[in-house]
């Protein structure tokens, strides 16, 4: 059996062959810490937590890098007053780095509630300004970037002229990019409308800025991930993940920066988690159709009829493949809670099962079906479906309809424990009650 991963770059499932056998370098785009993390964000990070856990379960040694974006970057309209960090710092009457600290702590607290493992390395954008400046200098030296009025832009047309392919990940062509380019701030400085900023000249009122060879400024959004991923994982690494919304332009620009700097594809396998919807509508703060994680846990919201344990939500998320759109509703959460409780009941029953001289069941076959689902692009819904075949078997043994030997029972106990708690990352509600969660 071999692990297969869906590669967004090729649009196909491919046999996973890491650059260094047995070792995996994985980078996932982390949060921009200017506000509270919402459930849609949690779904993305939880998806890659499951992938991280699965890779380790399958025997790989994983270096998992997930960044924190804590440097201000302009929004699409280019208005300095709409810089996310500056806008929030003015709203809350705090320094930008106070905003960063406040919402980084919130991000970590939320992920801890949902039992996400911390990454191996969690670098910050502001901690890697020097690396971003050096990357920009390299791109200028190689003719892929140019300075204009204190800003530096990546030359997309020059990149394509050299036989490279900007748009390969999102499957867009230059003509389409021209047609969709809006008249945004800084367009007059560019050679081509679709060129993107590597470094932006800071206006006097801009709070977050650094000294560079081109004057005071701040890095472009796309540059930070190239700087941090290559520093900790090398010029080419195995897996790059993030939400589907990052495919273009963010990940597209990362590919261009990496190939222009180093002359090779920076990532072997691009993976994207799909969006979360609520009651059939896209989760968005702008529309009001969103919910914060703690509102779900405490029941203090207008969407759900009761509070739900974080592991129930985690179980709900795992019932959809990471590449599928997932819709949560009151009915879906209630159904997930029922299924989760059934699973926990089976796990508890394992400790009280009586062994027999022989087994009437094939434990290895039950295990193989679960592992095969993991190997098929981390297919969590099939993992759960096969896990519930084991649940049926557990209750059949309990009701004396099937028998199991002591050796098989020991094997089954260990496998179920590893799958439920280590791979799916669930927690037993009885052992982690709401009082303990509030104190966490």
């Amino acid at each position: 059996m071999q692990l297969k991963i869906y590669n967004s770059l090729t649009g196909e499932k491919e046999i996973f062959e890491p650059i260094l056998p047995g070792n995996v370098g994985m980078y996932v785009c982390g949060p921009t810490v200017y506000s509270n993390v919402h459930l849609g964000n949690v779904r993305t990070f939880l998806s890659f937590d499951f992938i991280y856990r699965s890779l380790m379960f399958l025997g790989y040694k994983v270096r998992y890098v997930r960044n924190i974006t804590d440097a201000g970057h302009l929004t699409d309209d280019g208005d300095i007053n709409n810089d996310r960090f500056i806008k929030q710092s003015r709203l809350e009457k705090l320094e930008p780095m106070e905003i960063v600290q406040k919402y980084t702590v919130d991000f970590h607290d939320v992920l801890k509630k949902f039992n996400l493992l911390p990454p191996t390395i969690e670098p910050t954008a502001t901690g890697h300004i020097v690396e971003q400046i050096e990357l920009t200098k390299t791109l200028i030296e190689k003719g892929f970037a140019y300075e204009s009025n204190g800003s530096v832009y990546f030359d997309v047309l020059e990149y394509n002229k050299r036989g490279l392919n900007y748009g390969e990940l999102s499957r867009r062509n230059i003509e389409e990019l021209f047609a969709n380019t809006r008249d945004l701030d800084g367009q007059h400085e560019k050679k081509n409308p679709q060129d993107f900023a590597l470094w932006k000249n800071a206006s006097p009122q801009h709070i977050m800025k650094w000294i560079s060879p081109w004057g005071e400024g701040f890095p472009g959004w796309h540059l930070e991930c190239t700087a941090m991923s290559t520093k900790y994982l090398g010029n080419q690494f195995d897996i790059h993940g993030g939400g589907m919304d990052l495919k273009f332009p963010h990940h597209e620009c990362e590919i261009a920066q990496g190939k222009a700097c180093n002359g090779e594809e920076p990532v072997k396998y691009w993976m994207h988690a799909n969006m979360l919807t609520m009651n059939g509508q896209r989760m968005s703060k702008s529309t009001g159709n969103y919910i914060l994680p703690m509102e779900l846990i405490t029941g203090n919201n207008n969407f759900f009829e009761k509070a739900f344990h974080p592991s129930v939500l985690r179980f709900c998320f795992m019932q959809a493949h990471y590449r599928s759109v997932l819709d949560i509703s009151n009915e879906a959460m209630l159904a997930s809670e029922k299924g989760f409780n059934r699973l926990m009941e089976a796990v508890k029953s394992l400790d009280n099962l009586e062994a027999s001289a022989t087994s009437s069941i094939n434990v290895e076959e039950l295990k193989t079906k679960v592992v095969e689902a993991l190997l098929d692009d981390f297919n969590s819904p099939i993992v759960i479906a096969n896990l519930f075949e084991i649940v049926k078997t557990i209750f059949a043994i309990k009701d004396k309809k099937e028998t199991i030997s002591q050796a098989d029972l020991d094997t089954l106990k260990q496998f179920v424990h590893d799958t439920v708690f280590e791979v799916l990352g669930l927690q037993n509600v009885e052992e982690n009650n709401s009082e303990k969660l509030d104190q966490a």
Side-chain angles (χ1 to χ4, degrees), residues 3-7 9-17 268-269:
L3 172 61
K4 291 186 177 180
I5 292 179
Y6 180 85
N7 189 349
L9 187 62
T10 62
E12 297 178 352
K13 283 184 188 177
E14 301 175 3
I15 293 174
F16 181 60
E17 297 178 337
K268 287 192 70 175
Y269 306 92

Side-chain angles (χ1 to χ4, degrees), residues 65-83:
V65 182
R66 187 186 66 212
N67 73 298
I68 296 286
T69 295
D70 60 348
H73 54 77
L74 296 179
T75 53
D76 282 346
D77 59 15
D79 186 349
I80 186 67
N81 294 311
N82 284 337
D83 181 289

